Amino acid sequence: MRRPILTLAAVAALVAAACGGGTATPTTAPASSAPSSAPTTAASSAASPGASPAASAGTSAAPSASGSASNPYPTGDYGTISPLKPAVDLSKVGGAGEGELDIIIWGGYAEDGTNVKEYDWVHPFTDETGCKVNTKVGNTSDEMVTLLRQGSTYDGVSASGDATLRLIANGDVTAIDPTTMPGMGDVAPYLINAPHYVVDGKYYGTPHGWGGNTLLYRSDMVTPAPTSWNVVFDPTAAQPYAGKITAYDSPIYIADAALYLKAHNPELGITDPYELTQPQFDAAVNLLKQQRPWVGKYWSLFSDEIDNFKNGTTIVGTTWPYQFNALKAGGTPVGQVVPTEGMTGWADTWMLSSKAAHPNCMLKWMAWMLTPEVQTQVAEYFGEAPANPKACKYLDATYASYGFKNFCDEFGVNDPSFYNSVAFWKTPLADCAGGGGTCVDYSVWSQKWTEIKG
Amino acid sequence: MRGRLLAFIYRHRSLQLLLLLVPPAGWFGVVYLGSLAVLFVAAFWSLDPLTSAIRHELTLRNFQQLVTDGVYRVVALRTIGIAAIVTVTDVLLAFPLAYYMARYARPRTRAILFVLVLLPLWSSYLVRVYAWRVILAQGGPLEWGLAQVGIPGVAIYPSDLAIPIVFSYIWLPYMILPIYAGLERIPGSLLEASGDLGARPGTTFRRVVLPLVFPAVVAGSIFTFSLTLGDYITPVLVSNSQFIGNVVFDSQGVAGNVPFAAAFAMVPVLVMALYLIVARRLGAFDAL
């Protein structure tokens, strides 16, 4: 649904890192000081690098994904990151390896040094387990679901929340035993029982990483700094930026409109932006149709959004933290904020196919991907929050070529309220995810998205 | 034994022809026509709204939706309209150059022009689209240049106008080459005869050159029109508008609705079939 072509990412990031190389070292507002109603904003400008606080959580209106329960599962120890040698005994995970592993991934989730040589968590895995890794990149959540259902071709998948429940409901993936999965005890407390992969107390996989879709703006052109999504949705507030607004080019963006309506049109009674009744859904679609003429350019490749913010084609709209960091490092005056209404986001999970031909290799891969060392490489390479906060030890020290100082604060890893302000992507289902009633399902979302764009 | 076999083949001309044509014809028949047939059948299937599984029963629902839902009409007309604009633009741009190359340029100049026309085809399609994006974007050379002469604030990227501009550039070589070939085939003696009989240059062009080269123009237009009709990358990169290909891609990839994608993909197939029938009437294939 969102993953771009990683080679572009690598190039963009390398350029960004080369240009910006560590000049901007923002400090972060501690989570506890973030008030519950007014968001803290992050604004960086070329003129004053280093003066910017990072985005921090702005709302406590948080559903789902419970917080601080203790985590009873096995924890891991530190190993070394260069050479990559996590302190985990993979021979004890699952049974004997089958020598092969076939997985469906988001582009960039299994980097073997081909795109950027410093990042390789595939070859060391094969060296240690003897499992040769074959990957198939899925471009969208729907494509991943289709691929996995093809039969016993694949052993596992890095599924986003808008695919996981579909896979679980259809029996495409199988539960794992968290008590035998090393590193499960290190998973961030807000993720350990998250409903997008834990169903009826069963764990359908291991968390990989997550991120939120924040509001990005050119701090030299959008003043005062926005605190609400109204700069892209409200006719009055958006008027100054008409023609310069950007939006994410995917049906799932309808949830962003629903999230806005949830806060501003309480009479609609929206509780979950992914479970919309027909009137609620129509209101969100109308909001997006109204927004359509103000949109300068929809983005689907994140490198496009970076380009468009650099040259001023678009100056305000939704983003992943990655683009903000890349633009900031490249010297473009941009700010990022978690708006008062909250935000949408993604959380990905490694899941084991119920028809896997190499289940032991897949279990070993899951344990491998949870180690702080591999999580460090993944988080930095892709630009998302690691599921295992132990990775922060390496990440905050600026691990590799395009590392950011204070990575874990920038990406909200240590701030449960940041996580809780995220309405994570999930599949809109006709039965309102079992909540009773009738909701608009995803196929209608995608049809309407075509109609919105015209 | 081997000699006898070869001799046998040598004596039977029709067998030679058969052996030569079976591989390409088989490929064409199975892979190309086969997939077209599958596409055609899939267009009559439908998607189960609950399980998102494909229902293999014939129904006209997809076509009904195509006709009744206004957005698909808009997308189809936009695609066809822009393909037509691109074709006309390319004819107007290509004709003078091809005429110069065929009738006036010395062999050396002609060779250089050929290389220049073909040179863009050596680079990646994406590179050329991105190059145009830079030219048309805010702060790009075009905006800067126009601002210098007192017309500020012209940024064509992103907009619908950018689509035909980029397409016209990208497909231009495919128009120049057929027109050049058509013009080159006209014997100089014909033009001289026309002049001897008292026709002015304008009349000669209108009544001798144009009718003779027209099939070549139509042949070139098949390239520019069909290539534009089937493209879906340029619209995404330079505008917010959707082409037929974008809706097909989204229906298939994002929504997993292969039957609807197949139904909509039939539209350009039908348009091209009509186009080719008309082109045949106009004699585009006579010179083949």
Side-chain angles (χ1 to χ4, degrees), chain A residues 243-265:
Chain A
K244 299 274 181 191
I245 287 171
T246 193
Y248 184 47
D249 191 356
S250 160
I252 209 74
Y253 186 67
I254 294 173
D256 287 60
L259 193 70
Y260 177 79
L261 291 174
K262 180 183 165 187
H264 292 270
N265 290 34

Side-chain angles (χ1 to χ4, degrees), chain A residues 1 8 140 142-143 146 149 166 221 244 249-251 292 295-301 303-304 307-308 311-313 430 441-443 446-447 449-454, chain B residues 47 49-52 65 69 71-72 74-75 78 130 133 137-139 157-160 235-242 246-247 249-257:
Chain A
M1 183 144 296
L8 285 176
T140 66
D142 305 275
E143 197 180 319
T146 311
R149 284 181 183 169
R166 270 187 277 176
M221 297 175 180
K244 299 274 181 191
D249 191 356
S250 160
R292 171 70 177 84
V295 172
K297 184 85 180 78
Y298 292 97
W299 65 273
S300 48
L301 289 177
S303 51
D304 267 9
D307 279 355
N308 290 334
N311 65 27
T313 299
D441 76 67
Y442 189 67
S443 70
S446 67
Q447 260 174 33
W449 183 247
T450 300
E451 194 181 307
I452 290 163
K453 287 179 63 191
Chain B
L47 207 64
L50 283 177
T51 59
S52 293
Q65 197 184 347
D69 220 335
V71 65
Y72 301 115
V74 171
V75 170
R78 175 190 298 132
Y130 273 102
R133 219 165 78 156
Q138 186 162 325
Y157 161 80
S159 76
D160 283 6
V236 172
L237 291 181
V238 303
S239 82
N240 284 319
S241 292
Q242 302 174 100
N246 300 105
V247 176
F249 182 82
D250 286 347
S251 304
Q252 191 274 123
V254 178
N257 194 344

